Amino acid sequence: MKLKTNYAIVLFITLLFILIVNGQNIAAQNIQTVKKELPAIKTEQSPTIDGVLNDACWKDAPQAVGFIDERTEKPAMHQSVGRIVYTDKSIYVGLHLYDDMPDKIVASQTKDQTGIRGDDWVSFSLDPFHTHQFSDRNFFMVNPLGTKFAHLATGRAAKSEWIGLWKAAAQIVEDGWVVEMQIPWQILDYPDTTEPVRMGINLDRFQQRTGERSWWCNLGVQEFRENDGHWIDVLPPPRKRDLKFLPYLISGISETETDEREYAARAGADLRYEVTPQLRLIGTANPDFDNIEQSVEGIDFSYSERYVDDRRPFFSEGGNVYNLGNLFYSQRVMDMDGGIKLFGKVAKNTSVGTLGTYHRNNQNFILRAKQSLTATSHIIAGFLTHHRPDTDTNSIGHLSGSVRHGKFSISSDFTQSWEGESDGRKGNVNLKFNGSLFRSTLWGYFVDPDYVNNLGYQPYTSLRGGGLEGIFSNEWRQGFIRSVFIGANGITANNYEGELFQRDFAVFSNFWSHSDYGLYLSWYGGRFQEFSDSVINIRLNARSSDQYNNIGIGYSWGKRADKRIRRVSGNLNLRVYSFTAGLSSSIQWHFERHYQQILTLGYDFSPALSLGSRLIWQKDGANIYFALRRSGYAGTDFFIILGDPNASKFRQRLVAKVIRAF
């Protein structure tokens, strides 16, 4: 059967830009885009990680100086000095971050691996394979309290033994603050080589008071990673294969619907093994999904199924490698007796990721391969299959690619589905301009009526359409206004019978002041099939950047699906010493009244030990649970949970869970 014209166009564009990229490959290798280099210095005397740069190794270490403000592209108002040395065991980073008002340095986060938002921070990034691809990039962030956050190239779950035990220390001094880091080679993926190599590195800093983000090698607000610096003549040590075993044991008591007590005990385990220095195998048996606090689905009106993030660690581990966007929506995998993943590199520029899950009622398999062609281009191929004993197997094949030249980029993808005698296709093309002040995107897409992906998020089929979006954004380091974000987009789509499916237009804006107030304004209007829409949104936030103490309130009004709609929402977060409280509330009047209140409470006995609670009150009922947890750090983790984190109503349930890494 011949492809229809639109299918052929998508395939032609996909193949065309792949050919263009390959034609650029040789030329790109001869273009020197990086201006800064740092020689790799191996030391025999490693520094003490105490936040004081008085160790002998720092005195002769080459200095990374001349930080640039990413927005103004001028020397940063507050400069920083970085130093890097290494041994056969670890990489050591020392930084002095100058600040003429050290009493106004912002630092509040004390828990590792929970995100450092609203604080001053500094980050060291390392691209061991020197591909300039985000998928190969590791970064290590530290705030002025020494709190750590690491992102490793392949994506890792939150357990510290699996992320890797790295150290950091920081302190505020009279002319700024100082940081020291120790990053073991063993937690990184890097080339297996006996000759010195060149790696990509960078240092960047964020100053909360002024909003200034500065880079040693400026990537700009677009973060064009081909402009990273170079760490030259570094000889990494031979890599040791690592085997880690993470068993868990659960015991508990709960009350059934017939008011009877039910006692239960279960066990399971995760396994992590390095097949090669760059290829990892993850296995899980009888995973515990019941005691993981999932994201809460909102009550905002939607014509389609809402997308809800998945917090289950098995699906986040290695997620950077097997990610296929909306082609795989892990919430589709609800029941799982076991799973296995193999992901990593098979060559410098080639990565693979596989994922398989097993349950007696369904089996799923995903394969994804990515080939980096240059620092700004790649192609991706994928295959998914979903099998249930009572239905035909659903299979998906996928091809996509992207290339960027300067501030312009083009990306395209084509996907084919098979299920029994039915098959369908979908595809899209995106053209983007990514400037420092203005960004725009033009796209077109189609989805066949017979396209089916039982593992993906595809709310609608039988569509042809496209859209255009433009966004202006800017920042100011002084004055009343801190940042401005203004944009507009238009979307149009018809079904395959030529009837109108969607025609929307939206304008949106966000203003943020240096006094930490935020104002959001937007309007959305158009048609969805036979319905008319027109909605205005306004939201005001105070202490916007403070993740622990902030308040916001919003109001929406207009028409959705030809019915009047009103929505009031708000949030309040407070922290007093080690006690934190957060409240988010929404009330919506539309076809009928809906409401949702979410209250979270927490008390930190230490950075590792905490007591937490979440109350969800909505139209269908109320649920509350409490959890005492020791987690996120080395050693044994334990949880004592009263209630069910994800039930719609409170359950009388008490569970104890112990996890130990070996």
Side-chain angles (χ1 to χ4, degrees):
M1 182 178 66
K2 293 184 179 180
L3 291 174
K4 295 180 181 179
T5 303
N6 51 1
Y7 306 149
I9 292 173
V10 172
L11 282 175
F12 173 76
I13 294 176
T14 302
L15 294 173
L16 179 62
F17 79 71
I18 291 172
L19 291 173
I20 293 172
V21 169
N22 278 307
Q24 293 177 339
N25 204 4
I26 297 175
Q29 294 175 358
N30 297 321
I31 298 175
Q32 181 70 21
T33 59
V34 177
K35 303 297 183 182
K36 294 181 180 179
E37 295 181 339
L38 210 63
I41 302 298
K42 190 172 183 179
T43 181
E44 300 298 329
Q45 194 172 14
S46 56
T48 301
I49 305 302
D50 56 6
V52 181
L53 300 177
N54 59 358
D55 304 275
C57 65
W58 297 131
K59 295 179 181 179
D60 298 325
Q63 296 185 353
V65 296
F67 280 60
I68 303 297
D69 185 321
E70 69 171 12
R71 172 60 66 179
T72 66
E73 299 184 349
K74 297 178 180 179
M77 293 186 298
H78 294 90
Q79 282 293 316
S80 307
V81 177
R83 301 171 177 86
I84 304 172
V85 298
Y86 76 102
T87 67
D88 284 334
K89 296 289 186 182
S90 301
I91 300 170
Y92 296 90
V93 182
L95 296 122
H96 196 133
L97 306 122
Y98 292 96
D99 194 321
D100 57 8
M101 303 176 72
D103 58 320
K104 293 189 177 180
I105 290 173
V106 182
S108 57
Q109 181 60 269
T110 58
K111 283 188 175 183
D112 290 347
Q113 284 304 118
T114 53
I116 303 176
R117 183 178 65 86
D119 283 1
D120 283 53
W121 53 259
V122 68
S123 175
F124 165 67
S125 58
L126 179 68
D127 173 13
F129 293 94
H130 200 222
T131 64
H132 299 294
Q133 300 282 333
F134 180 79
S135 57
D136 292 328
R137 192 181 185 89
N138 309 271
F139 55 84
F140 302 86
M141 298 174 63
V142 182
N143 76 356
L145 299 178
T147 305
K148 311 188 300 294
F149 179 87
H151 167 91
L152 299 186
T154 54
R156 302 275 177 89
K159 179 65 177 168
S160 288
E161 282 91 340
W162 287 37
I163 298 169
L165 301 177
W166 64 289
K167 297 179 181 179
Q171 63 171 314
I172 297 175
V173 295
E174 62 181 9
D175 59 351
W177 55 293
V178 176
V179 171
E180 286 184 301
M181 306 182 198
Q182 179 188 0
I183 303 165
W185 283 106
Q186 189 64 23
I187 73 174
L188 300 168
D189 289 348
Y190 54 84
D192 187 11
T193 177
T194 58
E195 298 293 331
V197 296
R198 174 176 293 199
M199 296 183 177
I201 59 168
N202 216 332
L203 298 162
D204 63 305
R205 170 192 182 182
F206 179 72
Q207 188 180 54
Q208 172 59 32
R209 182 176 74 254
T210 62
E212 180 181 65
R213 187 175 182 186
S214 56
W215 296 83
W216 173 53
C217 288
N218 185 30
L219 304 188
V221 293
Q222 310 96 326
E223 294 198 22
F224 291 155
R225 287 176 287 276
E226 69 270 20
N227 295 323
D228 268 335
H230 287 160
W231 198 25
I232 60 175
D233 295 330
V234 57
L235 182 59
R239 181 63 185 265
K240 297 179 181 179
R241 294 186 183 181
D242 201 12
L243 173 64
K244 292 181 179 178
F245 184 57
L246 192 72
Y248 78 84
L249 178 65
I250 294 176
S251 178
I253 181 173
S254 60
E255 192 169 83
T256 66
E257 294 181 358
T258 58
D259 295 331
E260 296 179 354
R261 289 186 177 181
E262 181 179 74
Y263 298 89
R266 59 181 295 190
D270 293 343
L271 178 73
R272 187 168 185 265
Y273 176 64
E274 294 181 354
V275 180
T276 72
Q278 291 88 35
L279 201 60
R280 287 179 173 81
L281 178 71
I282 303 290
T284 186
N286 198 25
D288 174 35
F289 293 158
D290 295 336
N291 295 297
I292 296 171
E293 182 185 276
Q294 283 281 34
S295 300
V296 181
E297 183 177 352
I299 62 170
D300 54 305
F301 174 77
S302 176
Y303 287 108
S304 68
E305 171 193 12
R306 298 183 186 91
Y307 187 95
V308 181
D309 290 332
D310 194 345
R311 296 179 178 177
R312 294 174 291 179
F314 176 77
F315 294 106
S316 62
E317 179 79 10
N320 293 349
V321 180
Y322 71 83
N323 175 36
L324 283 167
N326 288 343
L327 288 181
F328 177 57
Y329 180 38
S330 57
Q331 294 280 17
R332 300 283 186 236
V333 185
M334 299 301 297
D335 301 314
M336 200 171 93
D337 295 325
I340 192 168
K341 295 194 290 188
L342 181 69
F343 58 90
K345 282 188 171 293
V346 294
K348 174 182 177 179
N349 294 303
T350 308
S351 62
V352 296
T354 65
L355 181 150
T357 68
Y358 173 80
H359 185 265
R360 61 183 179 276
N361 293 327
N362 66 85
Q363 297 84 45
N364 306 290
F365 177 76
I366 298 172
L367 171 65
R368 177 188 184 266
K370 177 181 177 180
Q371 177 68 40
S372 300
L373 302 173
T374 69
T376 58
S377 61
H378 66 264
I379 56 173
I380 294 173
F383 177 77
L384 303 86
T385 181
H386 170 75
H387 174 72
R388 299 180 65 91
D390 55 342
T391 62
D392 291 323
T393 298
N394 176 232
S395 299
I396 302 292
H398 173 78
L399 174 66
S400 64
S402 176
V403 59
R404 177 171 58 81
H405 180 72
K407 298 178 180 179
F408 293 90
S409 64
I410 177 172
S411 61
S412 180
D413 68 66
F414 180 80
T415 305
Q416 169 83 50
S417 73
W418 301 270
E419 185 172 326
E421 297 181 357
S422 175
D423 64 82
R425 304 162 189 84
K426 73 171 214 172
N428 72 69
V429 178
N430 288 272
L431 303 173
K432 294 184 178 181
F433 171 79
N434 193 2
S436 57
L437 295 177
F438 180 75
R439 306 194 304 271
S440 62
T441 305
L442 173 67
W443 70 91
Y445 71 96
F446 70 89
V447 187
D448 274 356
D450 294 329
Y451 175 80
V452 178
N453 181 0
N454 292 328
L455 285 177
Y457 180 79
Q458 184 67 50
Y460 304 109
T461 58
S462 187
L463 296 177
R464 297 188 184 99
L468 174 65
E469 180 175 78
I471 295 173
F472 169 83
S473 63
N474 202 1
E475 300 173 12
W476 293 267
R477 302 306 180 213
Q478 297 176 341
F480 178 74
I481 298 294
R482 178 169 179 155
S483 66
V484 171
F485 179 94
I486 301 172
N489 63 45
I491 302 171
T492 183
N494 291 341
N495 61 28
Y496 271 44
E497 286 71 40
E499 300 169 337
L500 174 67
F501 177 80
Q502 180 183 17
R503 190 158 297 152
D504 297 331
F505 185 75
V507 291
F508 42 88
S509 61
N510 196 7
F511 304 89
W512 191 7
S513 73
H514 274 285
S515 53
D516 220 10
Y517 287 94
L519 175 64
Y520 175 80
L521 297 168
S522 71
W523 172 81
Y524 161 84
R527 292 193 62 82
F528 183 88
Q529 297 180 351
E530 71 272 22
F531 301 115
S532 296
D533 297 322
S534 179
V535 180
I536 297 173
N537 303 285
I538 182 170
R539 184 173 183 85
L540 179 65
N541 297 306
R543 299 182 66 94
S544 302
S545 64
D546 189 334
Q547 61 181 325
Y548 292 116
N549 297 281
N550 57 71
I551 185 171
I553 186 168
Y555 182 63
S556 304
W557 72 96
K559 182 172 65 173
R560 294 297 306 270
D562 289 330
K563 297 289 184 180
R564 184 184 179 191
I565 187 171
R566 290 175 294 148
R567 178 183 172 89
V568 178
S569 61
N571 68 276
L572 174 65
N573 293 285
L574 298 171
R575 182 177 190 179
V576 180
Y577 299 105
S578 297
F579 176 78
T580 58
L583 173 66
S584 65
S585 178
S586 299
I587 304 174
Q588 181 173 276
W589 296 267
H590 196 205
F591 293 99
E592 56 185 8
R593 181 172 173 264
H594 289 276
Y595 56 88
Q596 182 182 79
Q597 277 69 244
I598 303 174
L599 174 66
T600 59
L601 301 171
Y603 184 82
D604 296 332
F605 300 97
S606 71
L609 181 64
S610 63
L611 177 65
S613 174
R614 183 173 75 175
L615 167 67
I616 303 175
W617 177 37
Q618 46 194 359
K619 187 175 181 180
D620 297 333
N623 181 46
I624 188 171
Y625 90 98
F626 301 87
L628 178 68
R629 67 192 83 187
R630 194 276 182 196
S631 63
Y633 289 78
T636 301
D637 285 1
F638 68 80
F639 303 82
I640 300 175
I641 302 172
L642 175 63
D644 186 337
N646 303 303
S648 59
K649 297 181 180 180
F650 175 72
R651 287 183 60 197
Q652 294 189 34
R653 175 178 179 266
L654 181 64
V655 170
K657 178 178 179 179
V658 178
I659 307 173
R660 175 65 183 177
F662 297 96

